[in-house]
Amino acid sequence: MSPSAEITLYLSARDKIVALTSGTGRRWAETALDLAGFTETPDGLHTLALEDQAQARHALTHLHQAALNCQVAVTTHPRPYLGDIAEAIVTALPGHWMADIEPLREQRDQHYLRDFVWETGALHGLLETNRLGFTAILRDGGGTELLLAERPSDGSYIVGALAPSPDYVRVTAPAPRSVIASNARLATRFIQTRLLPDYERAVHLSRLAEAEEDLRWAQESEAGPYDTVDLQAALYRFRAHATAFIATLRATTPLPVEQAVFLDRVEKGLSLDDLDGPDPEALAEAGTVWLHDGEELIEMARAATPPAYPTPAKPKALSTAALPPPAVTAVTPAPRR
């Protein structure tokens, strides 16, 4: 009779073993872990401390016996615990990043995450076709969310962006490209130099598209910019985008005096210090500023669009006819990999 559940053991750098249960008979797997002396964490994982090696060996021996009795398979994962990789990445990234570990006990857990992946490429396909144990969501606290996963084919790590919430911005720009690295250090470097700039550019372009669409619609509307629920919603979106545009413009090279004065006036007129609920009079003023100065702000923001990360060029194929004949006495060393 084949086991109806499986326990996968991951060795963590924090002197512990992390156990992940999966399968239809997962309760039997959890029972085996409890009998062996594993500690259940608030997120439903089980861990075994390794400080006392004799006790740890005894617990692992007991686990294999209990798993046999409960008809549960026990396997050891060959790679480090993904939670350690995630913590190493968020610790090295600038700012205040946090990592949330996502145990994937069933295939539907992966499909749920897949639906939020922005790029329909390698990471999307990995969640679609491979059986993973864990993923990790990396958050910066400002709305940026990245998904970290391990590729079973070669043990490398892939990091891609999760699509921003539609309440934040309706994404229309090309999705940022995922990055692949062999270790946490390289993953951190690629996130900083490729993924995050790609992400910021895509969000910026999506903001521009949504802000321009709302402004054109408001200009063509016969009602005032705050007279209907839809117009109020469009104005609210524009004010949120304007906050990001102004912050981006001020963070770039020093602005000419007239542009700096313009931004100060727009910021005050849109009541950006009170996005949640300005009074009706301030809302009316914000609507007037939106219609009068919105286009100029959009154009300034468009000029400040972050540059695209260059796509690596494919090497040109060399014709064998163009290669010089090898010298008879020369020894050609093997190329470095």
Side-chain angles (χ1 to χ4, degrees), residues 260-298:
V261 171
F262 172 78
L263 292 183
D264 290 341
R265 179 167 57 80
V266 170
E267 184 176 41
K268 182 179 179 181
L270 290 176
S271 302
L272 297 185
D273 58 344
D274 187 16
L275 283 176
D276 291 332
D279 59 68
E281 184 177 343
L283 192 61
E285 181 183 353
T288 302
V289 173
W290 177 30
L291 295 180
H292 185 266
D293 296 320
E295 190 163 352
E296 184 174 350
L297 178 62
I298 289 173

PDB file of all heavy atoms in Angstrom, residues 260-298:
ATOM      1  N   ALA A 260       9.930  73.247  -9.945  1.00  0.00           N
ATOM      2  CA  ALA A 260       9.802  73.018  -8.508  1.00  0.00           C
ATOM      3  C   ALA A 260       8.603  73.777  -7.951  1.00  0.00           C
ATOM      4  O   ALA A 260       7.838  73.250  -7.124  1.00  0.00           O
ATOM      5  CB  ALA A 260      11.086  73.428  -7.796  1.00  0.00           C
ATOM      6  N   VAL A 261       8.407  75.025  -8.395  1.00  0.00           N
ATOM      7  CA  VAL A 261       7.258  75.821  -7.946  1.00  0.00           C
ATOM      8  C   VAL A 261       5.960  75.178  -8.433  1.00  0.00           C
ATOM      9  O   VAL A 261       4.968  75.111  -7.695  1.00  0.00           O
ATOM     10  CB  VAL A 261       7.386  77.268  -8.473  1.00  0.00           C
ATOM     11  CG1 VAL A 261       6.108  78.052  -8.201  1.00  0.00           C
ATOM     12  CG2 VAL A 261       8.582  77.962  -7.822  1.00  0.00           C
ATOM     13  N   PHE A 262       5.969  74.694  -9.675  1.00  0.00           N
ATOM     14  CA  PHE A 262       4.783  74.031 -10.225  1.00  0.00           C
ATOM     15  C   PHE A 262       4.409  72.804  -9.387  1.00  0.00           C
ATOM     16  O   PHE A 262       3.230  72.606  -9.045  1.00  0.00           O
ATOM     17  CB  PHE A 262       5.050  73.622 -11.675  1.00  0.00           C
ATOM     18  CG  PHE A 262       3.979  72.763 -12.274  1.00  0.00           C
ATOM     19  CD1 PHE A 262       2.783  73.301 -12.720  1.00  0.00           C
ATOM     20  CD2 PHE A 262       4.159  71.384 -12.393  1.00  0.00           C
ATOM     21  CE1 PHE A 262       1.783  72.495 -13.270  1.00  0.00           C
ATOM     22  CE2 PHE A 262       3.184  70.573 -12.945  1.00  0.00           C
ATOM     23  CZ  PHE A 262       1.986  71.126 -13.380  1.00  0.00           C
ATOM     24  N   LEU A 263       5.377  71.992  -9.021  1.00  0.00           N
ATOM     25  CA  LEU A 263       5.092  70.795  -8.227  1.00  0.00           C
ATOM     26  C   LEU A 263       4.542  71.165  -6.855  1.00  0.00           C
ATOM     27  O   LEU A 263       3.615  70.513  -6.351  1.00  0.00           O
ATOM     28  CB  LEU A 263       6.365  69.948  -8.082  1.00  0.00           C
ATOM     29  CG  LEU A 263       6.894  69.279  -9.346  1.00  0.00           C
ATOM     30  CD1 LEU A 263       8.113  68.421  -9.018  1.00  0.00           C
ATOM     31  CD2 LEU A 263       5.822  68.433 -10.019  1.00  0.00           C
ATOM     32  N   ASP A 264       5.101  72.199  -6.245  1.00  0.00           N
ATOM     33  CA  ASP A 264       4.591  72.638  -4.944  1.00  0.00           C
ATOM     34  C   ASP A 264       3.133  73.071  -5.056  1.00  0.00           C
ATOM     35  O   ASP A 264       2.297  72.751  -4.192  1.00  0.00           O
ATOM     36  CB  ASP A 264       5.440  73.798  -4.409  1.00  0.00           C
ATOM     37  CG  ASP A 264       6.837  73.361  -4.001  1.00  0.00           C
ATOM     38  OD1 ASP A 264       7.033  72.146  -3.799  1.00  0.00           O
ATOM     39  OD2 ASP A 264       7.729  74.239  -3.902  1.00  0.00           O
ATOM     40  N   ARG A 265       2.821  73.806  -6.129  1.00  0.00           N
ATOM     41  CA  ARG A 265       1.449  74.292  -6.305  1.00  0.00           C
ATOM     42  C   ARG A 265       0.477  73.139  -6.557  1.00  0.00           C
ATOM     43  O   ARG A 265      -0.621  73.100  -5.993  1.00  0.00           O
ATOM     44  CB  ARG A 265       1.410  75.288  -7.471  1.00  0.00           C
ATOM     45  CG  ARG A 265       0.023  75.854  -7.759  1.00  0.00           C
ATOM     46  CD  ARG A 265       0.126  77.053  -8.695  1.00  0.00           C
ATOM     47  NE  ARG A 265       0.788  76.732  -9.941  1.00  0.00           N
ATOM     48  CZ  ARG A 265       0.183  76.111 -10.959  1.00  0.00           C
ATOM     49  NH1 ARG A 265      -1.089  75.753 -10.855  1.00  0.00           N
ATOM     50  NH2 ARG A 265       0.840  75.872 -12.069  1.00  0.00           N
ATOM     51  N   VAL A 266       0.887  72.181  -7.394  1.00  0.00           N
ATOM     52  CA  VAL A 266       0.018  71.031  -7.680  1.00  0.00           C
ATOM     53  C   VAL A 266      -0.171  70.190  -6.424  1.00  0.00           C
ATOM     54  O   VAL A 266      -1.285  69.729  -6.118  1.00  0.00           O
ATOM     55  CB  VAL A 266       0.615  70.191  -8.823  1.00  0.00           C
ATOM     56  CG1 VAL A 266      -0.136  68.870  -8.975  1.00  0.00           C
ATOM     57  CG2 VAL A 266       0.561  70.976 -10.129  1.00  0.00           C
ATOM     58  N   GLU A 267       0.898  69.981  -5.678  1.00  0.00           N
ATOM     59  CA  GLU A 267       0.814  69.171  -4.456  1.00  0.00           C
ATOM     60  C   GLU A 267      -0.165  69.792  -3.465  1.00  0.00           C
ATOM     61  O   GLU A 267      -0.983  69.096  -2.862  1.00  0.00           O
ATOM     62  CB  GLU A 267       2.203  69.043  -3.826  1.00  0.00           C
ATOM     63  CG  GLU A 267       2.242  68.145  -2.602  1.00  0.00           C
ATOM     64  CD  GLU A 267       3.649  67.983  -2.074  1.00  0.00           C
ATOM     65  OE1 GLU A 267       4.397  68.999  -2.037  1.00  0.00           O
ATOM     66  OE2 GLU A 267       4.008  66.865  -1.693  1.00  0.00           O
ATOM     67  N   LYS A 268      -0.085  71.100  -3.327  1.00  0.00           N
ATOM     68  CA  LYS A 268      -1.006  71.781  -2.406  1.00  0.00           C
ATOM     69  C   LYS A 268      -2.424  71.775  -2.951  1.00  0.00           C
ATOM     70  O   LYS A 268      -3.387  71.516  -2.209  1.00  0.00           O
ATOM     71  CB  LYS A 268      -0.527  73.216  -2.191  1.00  0.00           C
ATOM     72  CG  LYS A 268      -1.390  74.006  -1.213  1.00  0.00           C
ATOM     73  CD  LYS A 268      -0.852  75.414  -1.012  1.00  0.00           C
ATOM     74  CE  LYS A 268      -1.743  76.203  -0.043  1.00  0.00           C
ATOM     75  NZ  LYS A 268      -1.242  77.593   0.145  1.00  0.00           N
ATOM     76  N   GLY A 269      -2.584  72.023  -4.238  1.00  0.00           N
ATOM     77  CA  GLY A 269      -3.917  72.092  -4.819  1.00  0.00           C
ATOM     78  C   GLY A 269      -4.646  70.768  -4.828  1.00  0.00           C
ATOM     79  O   GLY A 269      -5.871  70.712  -4.675  1.00  0.00           O
ATOM     80  N   LEU A 270      -3.901  69.663  -4.981  1.00  0.00           N
ATOM     81  CA  LEU A 270      -4.527  68.333  -4.971  1.00  0.00           C
ATOM     82  C   LEU A 270      -4.738  67.802  -3.558  1.00  0.00           C
ATOM     83  O   LEU A 270      -5.269  66.703  -3.396  1.00  0.00           O
ATOM     84  CB  LEU A 270      -3.656  67.346  -5.762  1.00  0.00           C
ATOM     85  CG  LEU A 270      -3.609  67.543  -7.277  1.00  0.00           C
ATOM     86  CD1 LEU A 270      -2.632  66.557  -7.910  1.00  0.00           C
ATOM     87  CD2 LEU A 270      -4.996  67.367  -7.897  1.00  0.00           C
ATOM     88  N   SER A 271      -4.339  68.562  -2.552  1.00  0.00           N
ATOM     89  CA  SER A 271      -4.484  68.146  -1.145  1.00  0.00           C
ATOM     90  C   SER A 271      -3.854  66.781  -0.917  1.00  0.00           C
ATOM     91  O   SER A 271      -4.457  65.875  -0.337  1.00  0.00           O
ATOM     92  CB  SER A 271      -5.965  68.113  -0.740  1.00  0.00           C
ATOM     93  OG  SER A 271      -6.565  69.363  -0.916  1.00  0.00           O
ATOM     94  N   LEU A 272      -2.625  66.608  -1.391  1.00  0.00           N
ATOM     95  CA  LEU A 272      -1.973  65.305  -1.305  1.00  0.00           C
ATOM     96  C   LEU A 272      -1.580  64.938   0.117  1.00  0.00           C
ATOM     97  O   LEU A 272      -1.223  63.791   0.375  1.00  0.00           O
ATOM     98  CB  LEU A 272      -0.734  65.293  -2.211  1.00  0.00           C
ATOM     99  CG  LEU A 272      -1.021  65.480  -3.706  1.00  0.00           C
ATOM    100  CD1 LEU A 272       0.260  65.335  -4.505  1.00  0.00           C
ATOM    101  CD2 LEU A 272      -2.059  64.492  -4.197  1.00  0.00           C
ATOM    102  N   ASP A 273      -1.638  65.885   1.032  1.00  0.00           N
ATOM    103  CA  ASP A 273      -1.362  65.548   2.425  1.00  0.00           C
ATOM    104  C   ASP A 273      -2.602  65.017   3.123  1.00  0.00           C
ATOM    105  O   ASP A 273      -2.567  64.678   4.300  1.00  0.00           O
ATOM    106  CB  ASP A 273      -0.829  66.778   3.178  1.00  0.00           C
ATOM    107  CG  ASP A 273      -1.808  67.946   3.115  1.00  0.00           C
ATOM    108  OD1 ASP A 273      -2.719  67.900   2.262  1.00  0.00           O
ATOM    109  OD2 ASP A 273      -1.646  68.901   3.897  1.00  0.00           O
ATOM    110  N   ASP A 274      -3.720  64.922   2.413  1.00  0.00           N
ATOM    111  CA  ASP A 274      -4.969  64.425   3.004  1.00  0.00           C
ATOM    112  C   ASP A 274      -5.709  63.576   1.970  1.00  0.00           C
ATOM    113  O   ASP A 274      -6.803  63.900   1.538  1.00  0.00           O
ATOM    114  CB  ASP A 274      -5.837  65.599   3.458  1.00  0.00           C
ATOM    115  CG  ASP A 274      -7.066  65.132   4.241  1.00  0.00           C
ATOM    116  OD1 ASP A 274      -7.065  63.964   4.684  1.00  0.00           O
ATOM    117  OD2 ASP A 274      -8.016  65.915   4.377  1.00  0.00           O
ATOM    118  N   LEU A 275      -5.056  62.460   1.557  1.00  0.00           N
ATOM    119  CA  LEU A 275      -5.629  61.631   0.503  1.00  0.00           C
ATOM    120  C   LEU A 275      -6.895  60.904   0.947  1.00  0.00           C
ATOM    121  O   LEU A 275      -7.733  60.549   0.134  1.00  0.00           O
ATOM    122  CB  LEU A 275      -4.598  60.604   0.031  1.00  0.00           C
ATOM    123  CG  LEU A 275      -3.492  61.132  -0.889  1.00  0.00           C
ATOM    124  CD1 LEU A 275      -2.504  60.024  -1.191  1.00  0.00           C
ATOM    125  CD2 LEU A 275      -4.070  61.684  -2.169  1.00  0.00           C
ATOM    126  N   ASP A 276      -7.035  60.667   2.250  1.00  0.00           N
ATOM    127  CA  ASP A 276      -8.159  59.847   2.712  1.00  0.00           C
ATOM    128  C   ASP A 276      -9.495  60.566   2.616  1.00  0.00           C
ATOM    129  O   ASP A 276     -10.495  59.981   2.246  1.00  0.00           O
ATOM    130  CB  ASP A 276      -7.918  59.380   4.156  1.00  0.00           C
ATOM    131  CG  ASP A 276      -6.782  58.384   4.230  1.00  0.00           C
ATOM    132  OD1 ASP A 276      -6.569  57.682   3.222  1.00  0.00           O
ATOM    133  OD2 ASP A 276      -6.112  58.329   5.260  1.00  0.00           O
ATOM    134  N   GLY A 277      -9.533  61.824   2.950  1.00  0.00           N
ATOM    135  CA  GLY A 277     -10.849  62.471   2.928  1.00  0.00           C
ATOM    136  C   GLY A 277     -10.798  63.975   3.093  1.00  0.00           C
ATOM    137  O   GLY A 277     -11.077  64.503   4.181  1.00  0.00           O
ATOM    138  N   PRO A 278     -10.412  64.709   2.043  1.00  0.00           N
ATOM    139  CA  PRO A 278     -10.421  66.171   2.159  1.00  0.00           C
ATOM    140  C   PRO A 278     -11.853  66.683   2.209  1.00  0.00           C
ATOM    141  O   PRO A 278     -12.787  66.017   1.778  1.00  0.00           O
ATOM    142  CB  PRO A 278      -9.712  66.620   0.874  1.00  0.00           C
ATOM    143  CG  PRO A 278      -9.971  65.510  -0.098  1.00  0.00           C
ATOM    144  CD  PRO A 278      -9.995  64.248   0.723  1.00  0.00           C
ATOM    145  N   ASP A 279     -12.052  67.894   2.725  1.00  0.00           N
ATOM    146  CA  ASP A 279     -13.390  68.470   2.801  1.00  0.00           C
ATOM    147  C   ASP A 279     -13.884  68.811   1.397  1.00  0.00           C
ATOM    148  O   ASP A 279     -13.100  68.893   0.442  1.00  0.00           O
ATOM    149  CB  ASP A 279     -13.382  69.712   3.697  1.00  0.00           C
ATOM    150  CG  ASP A 279     -12.412  70.769   3.177  1.00  0.00           C
ATOM    151  OD1 ASP A 279     -12.678  71.339   2.098  1.00  0.00           O
ATOM    152  OD2 ASP A 279     -11.392  71.019   3.851  1.00  0.00           O
ATOM    153  N   PRO A 280     -15.209  69.003   1.222  1.00  0.00           N
ATOM    154  CA  PRO A 280     -15.765  69.250  -0.127  1.00  0.00           C
ATOM    155  C   PRO A 280     -15.121  70.425  -0.850  1.00  0.00           C
ATOM    156  O   PRO A 280     -14.926  70.378  -2.065  1.00  0.00           O
ATOM    157  CB  PRO A 280     -17.245  69.510   0.170  1.00  0.00           C
ATOM    158  CG  PRO A 280     -17.504  68.765   1.449  1.00  0.00           C
ATOM    159  CD  PRO A 280     -16.247  68.889   2.243  1.00  0.00           C
ATOM    160  N   GLU A 281     -14.792  71.487  -0.117  1.00  0.00           N
ATOM    161  CA  GLU A 281     -14.174  72.645  -0.765  1.00  0.00           C
ATOM    162  C   GLU A 281     -12.791  72.293  -1.306  1.00  0.00           C
ATOM    163  O   GLU A 281     -12.432  72.663  -2.434  1.00  0.00           O
ATOM    164  CB  GLU A 281     -14.067  73.798   0.237  1.00  0.00           C
ATOM    165  CG  GLU A 281     -13.523  75.077  -0.384  1.00  0.00           C
ATOM    166  CD  GLU A 281     -13.505  76.227   0.610  1.00  0.00           C
ATOM    167  OE1 GLU A 281     -14.203  76.124   1.656  1.00  0.00           O
ATOM    168  OE2 GLU A 281     -12.811  77.219   0.342  1.00  0.00           O
ATOM    169  N   ALA A 282     -11.999  71.547  -0.507  1.00  0.00           N
ATOM    170  CA  ALA A 282     -10.673  71.131  -0.963  1.00  0.00           C
ATOM    171  C   ALA A 282     -10.786  70.155  -2.127  1.00  0.00           C
ATOM    172  O   ALA A 282      -9.965  70.160  -3.047  1.00  0.00           O
ATOM    173  CB  ALA A 282      -9.898  70.492   0.190  1.00  0.00           C
ATOM    174  N   LEU A 283     -11.824  69.300  -2.103  1.00  0.00           N
ATOM    175  CA  LEU A 283     -12.031  68.352  -3.194  1.00  0.00           C
ATOM    176  C   LEU A 283     -12.355  69.088  -4.488  1.00  0.00           C
ATOM    177  O   LEU A 283     -11.875  68.717  -5.567  1.00  0.00           O
ATOM    178  CB  LEU A 283     -13.165  67.388  -2.831  1.00  0.00           C
ATOM    179  CG  LEU A 283     -13.334  66.159  -3.727  1.00  0.00           C
ATOM    180  CD1 LEU A 283     -12.078  65.304  -3.685  1.00  0.00           C
ATOM    181  CD2 LEU A 283     -14.537  65.345  -3.290  1.00  0.00           C
ATOM    182  N   ALA A 284     -13.161  70.151  -4.399  1.00  0.00           N
ATOM    183  CA  ALA A 284     -13.476  70.944  -5.587  1.00  0.00           C
ATOM    184  C   ALA A 284     -12.216  71.601  -6.142  1.00  0.00           C
ATOM    185  O   ALA A 284     -12.000  71.638  -7.366  1.00  0.00           O
ATOM    186  CB  ALA A 284     -14.520  71.998  -5.232  1.00  0.00           C
ATOM    187  N   GLU A 285     -11.370  72.116  -5.265  1.00  0.00           N
ATOM    188  CA  GLU A 285     -10.114  72.728  -5.719  1.00  0.00           C
ATOM    189  C   GLU A 285      -9.210  71.687  -6.358  1.00  0.00           C
ATOM    190  O   GLU A 285      -8.566  71.951  -7.382  1.00  0.00           O
ATOM    191  CB  GLU A 285      -9.398  73.389  -4.538  1.00  0.00           C
ATOM    192  CG  GLU A 285      -8.084  74.067  -4.943  1.00  0.00           C
ATOM    193  CD  GLU A 285      -7.350  74.650  -3.753  1.00  0.00           C
ATOM    194  OE1 GLU A 285      -7.908  74.651  -2.642  1.00  0.00           O
ATOM    195  OE2 GLU A 285      -6.184  75.080  -3.943  1.00  0.00           O
ATOM    196  N   ALA A 286      -9.182  70.487  -5.754  1.00  0.00           N
ATOM    197  CA  ALA A 286      -8.355  69.420  -6.319  1.00  0.00           C
ATOM    198  C   ALA A 286      -8.826  69.064  -7.725  1.00  0.00           C
ATOM    199  O   ALA A 286      -8.009  68.817  -8.625  1.00  0.00           O
ATOM    200  CB  ALA A 286      -8.396  68.193  -5.413  1.00  0.00           C
ATOM    201  N   GLY A 287     -10.156  69.049  -7.936  1.00  0.00           N
ATOM    202  CA  GLY A 287     -10.685  68.755  -9.256  1.00  0.00           C
ATOM    203  C   GLY A 287     -10.275  69.795 -10.274  1.00  0.00           C
ATOM    204  O   GLY A 287      -9.953  69.474 -11.430  1.00  0.00           O
ATOM    205  N   THR A 288     -10.266  71.058  -9.860  1.00  0.00           N
ATOM    206  CA  THR A 288      -9.858  72.129 -10.776  1.00  0.00           C
ATOM    207  C   THR A 288      -8.384  71.999 -11.144  1.00  0.00           C
ATOM    208  O   THR A 288      -7.999  72.143 -12.321  1.00  0.00           O
ATOM    209  CB  THR A 288     -10.119  73.493 -10.116  1.00  0.00           C
ATOM    210  OG1 THR A 288     -11.512  73.610  -9.781  1.00  0.00           O
ATOM    211  CG2 THR A 288      -9.723  74.625 -11.049  1.00  0.00           C
ATOM    212  N   VAL A 289      -7.545  71.720 -10.154  1.00  0.00           N
ATOM    213  CA  VAL A 289      -6.114  71.538 -10.414  1.00  0.00           C
ATOM    214  C   VAL A 289      -5.894  70.334 -11.319  1.00  0.00           C
ATOM    215  O   VAL A 289      -5.048  70.361 -12.227  1.00  0.00           O
ATOM    216  CB  VAL A 289      -5.348  71.378  -9.079  1.00  0.00           C
ATOM    217  CG1 VAL A 289      -3.888  71.015  -9.340  1.00  0.00           C
ATOM    218  CG2 VAL A 289      -5.437  72.661  -8.265  1.00  0.00           C
ATOM    219  N   TRP A 290      -6.655  69.274 -11.085  1.00  0.00           N
ATOM    220  CA  TRP A 290      -6.547  68.067 -11.901  1.00  0.00           C
ATOM    221  C   TRP A 290      -6.763  68.380 -13.381  1.00  0.00           C
ATOM    222  O   TRP A 290      -5.961  68.001 -14.229  1.00  0.00           O
ATOM    223  CB  TRP A 290      -7.564  67.055 -11.380  1.00  0.00           C
ATOM    224  CG  TRP A 290      -7.655  65.761 -12.127  1.00  0.00           C
ATOM    225  CD1 TRP A 290      -6.652  65.126 -12.801  1.00  0.00           C
ATOM    226  CD2 TRP A 290      -8.815  64.938 -12.251  1.00  0.00           C
ATOM    227  NE1 TRP A 290      -7.121  63.949 -13.335  1.00  0.00           N
ATOM    228  CE2 TRP A 290      -8.440  63.805 -13.013  1.00  0.00           C
ATOM    229  CE3 TRP A 290     -10.124  65.043 -11.792  1.00  0.00           C
ATOM    230  CZ2 TRP A 290      -9.336  62.795 -13.328  1.00  0.00           C
ATOM    231  CZ3 TRP A 290     -11.018  64.019 -12.086  1.00  0.00           C
ATOM    232  CH2 TRP A 290     -10.632  62.914 -12.851  1.00  0.00           C
ATOM    233  N   LEU A 291      -7.853  69.086 -13.672  1.00  0.00           N
ATOM    234  CA  LEU A 291      -8.174  69.377 -15.071  1.00  0.00           C
ATOM    235  C   LEU A 291      -7.225  70.408 -15.692  1.00  0.00           C
ATOM    236  O   LEU A 291      -6.923  70.340 -16.884  1.00  0.00           O
ATOM    237  CB  LEU A 291      -9.619  69.886 -15.176  1.00  0.00           C
ATOM    238  CG  LEU A 291     -10.715  68.883 -14.788  1.00  0.00           C
ATOM    239  CD1 LEU A 291     -12.082  69.514 -14.933  1.00  0.00           C
ATOM    240  CD2 LEU A 291     -10.617  67.626 -15.632  1.00  0.00           C
ATOM    241  N   HIS A 292      -6.751  71.330 -14.870  1.00  0.00           N
ATOM    242  CA  HIS A 292      -5.938  72.426 -15.413  1.00  0.00           C
ATOM    243  C   HIS A 292      -4.466  72.047 -15.529  1.00  0.00           C
ATOM    244  O   HIS A 292      -3.803  72.386 -16.528  1.00  0.00           O
ATOM    245  CB  HIS A 292      -6.089  73.668 -14.515  1.00  0.00           C
ATOM    246  CG  HIS A 292      -5.393  74.880 -15.055  1.00  0.00           C
ATOM    247  ND1 HIS A 292      -4.109  75.225 -14.677  1.00  0.00           N
ATOM    248  CD2 HIS A 292      -5.783  75.820 -15.959  1.00  0.00           C
ATOM    249  CE1 HIS A 292      -3.744  76.327 -15.308  1.00  0.00           C
ATOM    250  NE2 HIS A 292      -4.740  76.716 -16.089  1.00  0.00           N
ATOM    251  N   ASP A 293      -3.933  71.353 -14.513  1.00  0.00           N
ATOM    252  CA  ASP A 293      -2.488  71.090 -14.466  1.00  0.00           C
ATOM    253  C   ASP A 293      -2.126  69.615 -14.628  1.00  0.00           C
ATOM    254  O   ASP A 293      -0.939  69.272 -14.646  1.00  0.00           O
ATOM    255  CB  ASP A 293      -1.901  71.586 -13.138  1.00  0.00           C
ATOM    256  CG  ASP A 293      -2.027  73.086 -12.978  1.00  0.00           C
ATOM    257  OD1 ASP A 293      -1.815  73.796 -13.981  1.00  0.00           O
ATOM    258  OD2 ASP A 293      -2.335  73.540 -11.858  1.00  0.00           O
ATOM    259  N   GLY A 294      -3.134  68.766 -14.722  1.00  0.00           N
ATOM    260  CA  GLY A 294      -2.857  67.336 -14.779  1.00  0.00           C
ATOM    261  C   GLY A 294      -2.018  66.925 -15.966  1.00  0.00           C
ATOM    262  O   GLY A 294      -1.095  66.101 -15.851  1.00  0.00           O
ATOM    263  N   GLU A 295      -2.290  67.519 -17.126  1.00  0.00           N
ATOM    264  CA  GLU A 295      -1.566  67.128 -18.332  1.00  0.00           C
ATOM    265  C   GLU A 295      -0.095  67.487 -18.241  1.00  0.00           C
ATOM    266  O   GLU A 295       0.780  66.699 -18.635  1.00  0.00           O
ATOM    267  CB  GLU A 295      -2.205  67.790 -19.556  1.00  0.00           C
ATOM    268  CG  GLU A 295      -1.674  67.259 -20.869  1.00  0.00           C
ATOM    269  CD  GLU A 295      -2.570  67.615 -22.036  1.00  0.00           C
ATOM    270  OE1 GLU A 295      -3.683  68.148 -21.812  1.00  0.00           O
ATOM    271  OE2 GLU A 295      -2.149  67.368 -23.171  1.00  0.00           O
ATOM    272  N   GLU A 296       0.204  68.670 -17.701  1.00  0.00           N
ATOM    273  CA  GLU A 296       1.606  69.071 -17.573  1.00  0.00           C
ATOM    274  C   GLU A 296       2.343  68.159 -16.602  1.00  0.00           C
ATOM    275  O   GLU A 296       3.499  67.785 -16.829  1.00  0.00           O
ATOM    276  CB  GLU A 296       1.702  70.523 -17.109  1.00  0.00           C
ATOM    277  CG  GLU A 296       3.149  71.033 -17.047  1.00  0.00           C
ATOM    278  CD  GLU A 296       3.230  72.507 -16.719  1.00  0.00           C
ATOM    279  OE1 GLU A 296       2.180  73.191 -16.727  1.00  0.00           O
ATOM    280  OE2 GLU A 296       4.352  72.985 -16.452  1.00  0.00           O
ATOM    281  N   LEU A 297       1.670  67.775 -15.497  1.00  0.00           N
ATOM    282  CA  LEU A 297       2.306  66.871 -14.533  1.00  0.00           C
ATOM    283  C   LEU A 297       2.588  65.524 -15.187  1.00  0.00           C
ATOM    284  O   LEU A 297       3.664  64.933 -14.979  1.00  0.00           O
ATOM    285  CB  LEU A 297       1.399  66.690 -13.312  1.00  0.00           C
ATOM    286  CG  LEU A 297       1.921  65.719 -12.238  1.00  0.00           C
ATOM    287  CD1 LEU A 297       3.240  66.223 -11.658  1.00  0.00           C
ATOM    288  CD2 LEU A 297       0.887  65.531 -11.132  1.00  0.00           C
ATOM    289  N   ILE A 298       1.646  65.018 -15.971  1.00  0.00           N
ATOM    290  CA  ILE A 298       1.841  63.739 -16.652  1.00  0.00           C
ATOM    291  C   ILE A 298       3.032  63.808 -17.602  1.00  0.00           C
ATOM    292  O   ILE A 298       3.860  62.892 -17.671  1.00  0.00           O
ATOM    293  CB  ILE A 298       0.557  63.322 -17.403  1.00  0.00           C
ATOM    294  CG1 ILE A 298      -0.521  62.906 -16.397  1.00  0.00           C
ATOM    295  CG2 ILE A 298       0.837  62.185 -18.373  1.00  0.00           C
ATOM    296  CD1 ILE A 298      -1.875  62.632 -17.020  1.00  0.00           C
TER     297      ILE A 298
END
